[in-house]
Amino acid sequence: MSVHAAHSKLQDKALALLLANRVSGYSRHHSREYAYTCPSIGRYPYQWFWDSCFHAVALSHYQPDWAQKELQSLIAVQREDGFLPHVIFWELGAPRHYWKYLQAGSFLRPAITLYIQPPVIARAALTVFRASGDLCFARQMLAAVRRFHTWLRCNRDPDGDGLISIVSPFESGMDWSPQFDGLFRGALDACWFGPRRLDFQHRLCGHRTERMLARFDVEEVATNSIWFDAQKSLATLAKALGDQAVAEEETCGALQTQRSLLEKCWNAETGAFFSLAGPREAMLGVRTVASLTPLLLDHLSPQQLDCLVSEIEDARGYGTCFPLPSVAVREPPFRGRPRQFLWRGPTWMNMNWFVVRGLLKHGQHDLACRVAQASASAIDRSGFRECYEPHKGDGLGARQFGWSTLVVDMLSLTA
Ligand code: GLC
């Protein structure tokens, strides 16, 4: 089969998956209509924040109107103060997971969680607007996302350095990533009890921001690279709508985030970017795929770009047959085929999407193409899975997993 025919088959399969995972209805619980794509039927029935943003990007290639609905469902539950949750429970009847109780505001009638996920919504809104050209949608998104960004600045940047803090590993979207092992009582605690204990403690203090930050405060490198991209995207959206003031403020915010990432998160000795923990900003020196996401920044020194590119190509780094492993292969916690804790080695398509976009930004077209093609091969081989074993490409975790359809966007960006 020609490459072209193979890609168009992949595109058809991606659309079929996005249609099959679509959920819509009227929530009596929230007193409103909803429409979203669940990450995986059965395993992940709710609406997750960054999953929906990724689904919207993929849907923008086929049905921009549905992509709009997906994002509109997310902002439908925005709190007065601008907060957007990491999970929305539209129906009460769905299976009950522990975090539904611990991470949600209400114990008995959980409606939303009180955590965030990386702020991908501005990028998703801009992508969908470019596909649909719908100005009314763009204005609605600009207002809501602007309020969310303001909430993040006011509540999650206690030291005012332009880097936002997460209060739990779950807020990074990379649950159980070994980046955070050093903050718990060893790897075992980090995998099992630590994050759950933290959920419990956060719940006991009513999810009050200062109390949560006193327990866990990480300026996580992927969340902040995404935050940079988010502010730039919102500035672009604001400019397109003629709102110069918002455009300038978001651009200023982006520049500060970029400056702090470059000054504080870069470790010149090891040649890698790392997350920072606590008010003293201690570096969490485990190389994970998060360390590659500063490729999203506008400015990297030639040395920084060289280090990131050679890590991606190095077989002991991220250069496996089915890149990019979520933990560098040479790192002791790396596990290519974990039974659970899937962010400790396997390859995830959403991270590949960020890295491909970053590589293109820095003129690394060939490498971006290779990562996109390898992503497509993993999917050809194993279907749209939650993640993939990085050497053999075997599928792991949930099946028919929504955000793996981002491959469609990767192929179109690198075509
Ligand atoms: C897992 C992932 C998280 C994702 C969720 C739903 O918890 O770690 O990032 O949002 O599943 O797919």
Side-chain angles (χ1 to χ4, degrees):
M1 203 191 305
S2 74
V3 175
H4 182 71
H7 287 176
S8 87
K9 214 167 133 202
L10 200 66
Q11 277 173 347
D12 293 347
K13 286 187 179 164
L15 177 60
L17 188 167
L18 290 164
L19 293 176
N21 287 14
R22 190 170 281 178
V23 194
S24 61
Y26 180 82
S27 161
R28 283 201 289 150
H29 188 34
H30 285 267
S31 310
R32 63 175 82 241
E33 289 186 340
Y34 60 84
Y36 68 95
T37 311
C38 70
S40 170
I41 294 169
R43 174 86 66 107
Y44 298 113
Y46 315 118
Q47 184 170 19
W48 266 265
F49 179 83
W50 76 338
D51 298 66
S52 267
C53 296
F54 299 135
H55 299 155
V57 169
L59 278 168
S60 71
H61 287 269
Y62 310 94
Q63 299 182 336
D65 54 328
W66 264 88
Q68 290 189 181
K69 284 191 190 155
E70 182 107 25
L71 298 182
Q72 283 161 334
S73 256
L74 272 188
I75 61 168
V77 300
Q78 184 162 36
R79 243 172 24 196
E80 275 298 296
D81 63 358
F83 171 81
L84 288 172
H86 105 291
V87 183
I88 308 172
F89 308 106
W90 286 107
E91 299 292 348
L92 279 174
R96 301 187 157 228
H97 295 297
Y98 90 95
W99 41 264
K100 197 161 165 179
Y101 299 100
L102 288 177
Q103 300 177 354
S106 159
F107 223 58
L108 293 175
R109 294 174 59 79
I112 56 169
T113 58
L114 295 178
Y115 284 168
I116 56 166
Q117 263 185 338
V120 196
I121 190 165
R123 168 58 58 185
L126 179 63
T127 308
V128 173
F129 169 58
R130 282 178 172 154
S132 73
D134 184 335
L135 285 167
C136 195
F137 164 79
R139 281 192 206 99
Q140 189 190 11
M141 293 310 291
L142 176 64
V145 179
R146 169 80 173 146
R147 283 170 57 221
F148 179 48
H149 283 192
T150 304
W151 184 89
L152 287 170
R153 290 190 191 102
C154 296
N155 292 274
R156 291 305 185 85
D157 187 4
D159 56 3
D161 63 354
L163 300 178
I164 53 173
S165 297
I166 57 169
V167 299
S168 154
F170 298 119
E171 289 202 325
S172 72
M174 293 173 279
D175 312 357
W176 325 101
S177 163
Q179 272 195 82
F180 311 112
D181 284 5
L183 300 174
F184 295 100
R185 304 168 192 160
L188 190 66
D189 186 52
C191 280
W192 289 99
F193 314 109
R196 290 170 193 207
R197 191 169 53 239
L198 202 59
D199 276 351
F200 191 63
Q201 289 165 333
H202 286 349
R203 170 138 254 296
L204 283 182
C205 74
H207 294 101
R208 288 223 303 281
T209 305
E210 352 46 274
R211 300 281 293 277
M212 293 196 288
L213 282 171
R215 288 223 161 76
F216 190 98
D217 172 356
V218 174
E219 294 172 321
E220 199 273 321
V221 66
T223 306
N224 280 290
S225 301
I226 293 167
W227 177 223
F228 167 79
D229 187 52
Q231 294 170 93
K232 289 251 329 196
S233 302
L234 200 60
T236 307
L237 194 64
K239 231 178 273 166
L241 294 174
D243 194 333
Q244 220 44 49
V246 169
E248 272 164 33
E249 273 181 48
E250 292 291 327
T251 304
C252 251
L255 291 178
Q256 201 196 356
T257 304
Q258 173 167 261
R259 210 175 310 122
S260 290
L261 274 164
L262 293 173
E263 279 170 12
K264 298 181 173 194
C265 298
W266 173 247
N267 184 322
E269 264 164 53
T270 48
F273 286 95
F274 293 115
S275 302
L276 309 172
R280 304 172 89 157
E281 304 188 318
M283 264 191 187
L284 300 177
V286 183
R287 285 175 197 254
T288 68
V289 68
S291 293
L292 302 178
T293 55
L295 281 164
L296 290 169
L297 300 181
D298 284 348
H299 299 292
L300 290 174
S301 70
Q303 184 214 357
Q304 286 166 332
L305 185 59
D306 269 5
C307 287
L308 296 182
V309 165
S310 47
E311 268 296 275
I312 294 176
E313 289 178 327
D314 183 350
R316 292 162 310 127
Y318 305 88
T320 55
C321 290
F322 295 90
L324 302 157
S326 44
V327 177
V329 170
R330 74 169 86 73
E331 289 284 353
F334 170 83
R335 297 281 175 280
R337 196 188 291 274
R339 281 230 311 258
Q340 41 191 338
F341 311 125
L342 298 173
W343 285 96
R344 299 177 80 87
T347 294
W348 292 76
M349 292 302 158
N350 63 332
M351 301 317 280
N352 286 10
W353 179 71
F354 286 121
V355 172
V356 162
R357 286 187 30 234
L359 287 170
L360 289 174
K361 179 178 245 184
H362 294 282
Q364 300 290 322
H365 190 265
D366 288 353
L367 188 51
C369 273
R370 267 187 274 148
V371 175
Q373 292 296 339
S375 302
S377 312
I379 292 167
D380 268 344
R381 196 176 175 283
S382 307
F384 291 94
R385 296 294 297 266
E386 188 171 1
C387 52
Y388 301 83
E389 197 284 326
H391 295 292
K392 303 238 163 68
D394 298 344
L396 301 169
R399 290 167 195 275
Q400 290 293 88
F401 189 72
W403 83 38
S404 292
T405 58
L406 278 174
V407 69
V408 168
D409 198 56
M410 284 191 253
L411 292 175
S412 128
L413 291 168
T414 52

